[in-house]
Amino acid sequence: MSTALSTSRTGFSMFRLATTAFPPGFRRQHAREMTAAFEQELKRVIRQEGRLAGGWYAARAVVDAVRQGLHERVRRAPPPGHGGRKPSGGDGIGSGLGADVWIALRGMRRSPGFTLAAVAVLALGLGANATVFSALRVVILTPAPYPELDRLVFVDMVNEHVGRGERRVMTWSYPKFDALVEAENRLIDPVSGYANRSGTLTGLGPATRVAYELVSPSYFQTLRITPLVGRTFAREEGDLSGRHQVTVLSHELWRSRFAGDGGTPEGDITLNGTRFRIIGVAPEGFRGLTGDAQLWIPLSAADDVFGFGLIEQSGAGWFHVIGRLRPGATIEAATAQMGTIGDGIAETYPSRDPQSVWTASARRFQDVSVNQDARAAVVLLTLAAAVVLLVACANLSGLLLARARRKARDGAVRIAVGASRWRIVRASLIESGLLAALGGGAGIALALWGTTAMASAWPREFLSSARGEMRVADPSQLGLDPAVLMFVVLMTLLTVLLFGGAPALRLSGTDVSLTLKDGPGATRRDVALLGVDGRAALVGVQVALALVLLVGAGLVGSSTARLLNVDEGVRTENLVTFRYAIPETSAWSDREDEFSEEFLARINALPPVVSAGTGTTPLRGHWAITRVNAVEGGNEIAQGEGVRIGVHMVDDRYFETMGIPLVGGRVFNATDGTDRFPSIVISELTAKDLFPGEDAVGKRIEIGISGEGKESWSEIVGVVGDVLYSPPDQERMLESYYSSREFGTASTNVLVRTTRDPLGSMPAIRSIASEMDPTLAIYGVTTMDEIVSASVGDRRILLVLLGLFAGVAVLLAATGTWAVVAVSVADRRRELGLRMALGAAGGRVMSMVVKQSALTAVAGVALGLAGAAGGSRLLEVFLWETEPLEPSVYGGGALFLLAVVLLASWVPARGILRLDPAATLRSE
Amino acid sequence: MSRTTDDPSVIEDLLPLSPPVYYILLALGVDTLHGYAIMQAFDGLMGGTERLLPGTLYATLARMMETGLIEEASPPEFEGDPRRRYYSVTEFGRVAAAGESERLRRLLEVAVAQNLAPGRTG
């Protein structure tokens, strides 16, 4: 009997709870009677049919009461615009997750504008993040694929200049490397040298240009690379004593040339005319540390492929060295030991310059294998993308809050009828989750496109490590692999919690009785009051974050603009450069000067050509960089102490063609280079530096360039304008020119200035070349504008992406503001109308609304300026002649954003002017 | 709310009556009953095969009052429970019930003709 009693008690309290589903008016009239009837009937059922039937009856009655109660509420208070809709009977709160998902989907279909906006905002945020994360993964997160990476080290030759305090990492020469290999009890063992070169491969089908590496025999063991077929180099194959012309092929080359039949590769290849016996094949995908090697030959074969005695030169560094730490050895100990070994090597091969001290050192492989510029750029972009996502989240929170306001009544009803607050939060999270899933999907599609675009725009400087030791990032790896997809899923989850959770919690905290108060007008205002500050704050956050990105993009943009607008010292427009190569089989091969003269004369005769000349360096780079050893009439300069000076070999029309102005004296003419007294032309900066306050023309300098039967002193015949042969963000150097006749260094680098599109003249130039010799190759066709813009390099991709991110953020902040003002105007329709009815001018009421959002914007801008100032330090490495706190960028960004926000609030605020004060009064 | 039977379209609009409304009209008949009594009466009429649950009962009663199918009646003198409200069918309710019965009768005839009504056939 006691169990029957407890069944009836449980049933009774459940039923009484269920009756709260009915609207209050109904409850007042019927609840007690209804509950009493339930109780009586339940007792009767238990008495007559048993407890089980009683329980079943109670359950059915509870569900029925909730259903009818909700039904009754809907019937009594039809929502605006749904007056005629017949309630579907409802599934109350008894329904589960599936129902919530279905309800959310239905809601999304009913408000396509909101859904589209939310999905677009999310797609932008997640797509940007997935793209940038993909880059982050390639540049930083993916370790090099070599086992026991933490024991792999680079061994550097280091040159320190005592006088100038310079420390430079250098390459190794063979004799010095040999001394390193011979050093006893090394903590780094083995050590392996490697260098990459390109050469002509013959003997296997058509002759092709291939990249290859010259390596120590231990190279493969050091990297722990085992051959797919055959073997790698044996120790004795590194010896100089014998002639070891053996090669290991890359898997790709082996497969393409030998059809990769799996058997032991046999046969020879011919590289630069020397035959090498194939001894093995590297595993698939391995292309050497430099990333594009097709085959490997021993370092000791260098002289065979280069054709001159490089091996014996102790002063000529030409390869890098890697090694492995012995078990138990630390990098610190190894570095110290390398210093000692390096000092010993320097004693064996003393420097001619006492100020120049050579030694050796070691660096962790990982420190080299990350391109620091790429790393900085990618980290910066990752942060920027995260900021975009934050703005997107804030924007979506605003959208959802505004939407929650409309749905507050629904939520309050559900809370009133006993739905737990968790249930309300869950429903809201489900909705956000669905939006996030859609947005995430669209974001992945966007990232697919983004990574492809990024791979093609990947700066060349980012491909290899800072000093070209190795290939560090492969842009073809940019893409959506499981790691990136996992990242998107994580970001999506985070986003859901960030932007879905907040409005839901707010809604779940809604004062139910306030919301349910009769009269839709009252409800609206009450709920709106609860949320208006929150939404304004969200807009403030968006404005602040957008400004941070805007300032970042502005700083990089200003740097890039300055780099592009820097005075190159030449007229870059309508100027094209190309090279030509005379094959040995050509009749011209022993008359190159003659060829050059005739070729240039014929190009100069072309109608659109203003001038054509040759020079060893079109722009960016030098034929040589030496030091000024002596200046006529100047102080004595210690050996190796002179200032650095760039040297160029040019023909008589070079200055005219490049558009380099003559400042004093003359340019070269046919008399130069004909006797034993060299003539030199120097730049204005050089003249000012070497002969301050004097006329340099007629003076003599000695810069260590000499030739057979030539005096070591050169006479300055002219001074020309400064040209940026070094990239603009590097130290400006002194520059000098010799006539190409002076030391017999005729250049095959042709420069052509035209009256119109310079590339348009190339077909005519090519046909001249092929008339003179059909086997002649013309290559490396580049316009000067391309050369200049290439030097902006890594800043360009950074600028494009930062600009894109900033644009998206500004757009989001603008729409966020617009939405908040529009909603707030709608919420305050009665209040604003009342003010107007009481005599306030529409314009004044409107400006009051705009002023409120202006205040939010000003607060956001202040916050954003502070954030940008803090974040700008991250940008410093990418700035050139731009201060991280450049006032014009900050001021411009702030003003621009304020203008955008004001416009975005002015547009919806205009709706106030259309308010009818009389109608407002009537509705009161 | 007052309704007249003069306008047949008003009745037409109500038909078909939802099962609970029809059940309540049948249970009330010519009597004046309170809610729980209606449940019991209905139970008696249907022999326990159908149940009128309290939520449905009271919500339906409220709607029927609004529609004018039933009206609140004064409780009999012996009623000791002040919570109880008594209801009786209005003239309008009677016409509506008759209309629904007629509709069902016609349907039943069709069902019999189509041999879709089990049990007594002749």
Side-chain angles (χ1 to χ4, degrees), chain A residues 68 82 125 173 205 246 266 288 414 433 455 459 470 503 545 692 709 722 735 746 905:
Chain A
Q68 293 295 336
H82 293 259
S173 67
V246 286
E266 281 177 3
R414 296 179 69 182
M470 59 182 293
L545 293 174
D722 290 318
E735 306 288 354
S905 43

Side-chain angles (χ1 to χ4, degrees), chain B residues 25 39 71 93 107 112 117:
Chain B
L25 288 173
M39 277 170 66
E71 60 190 353
L107 281 177
V112 170

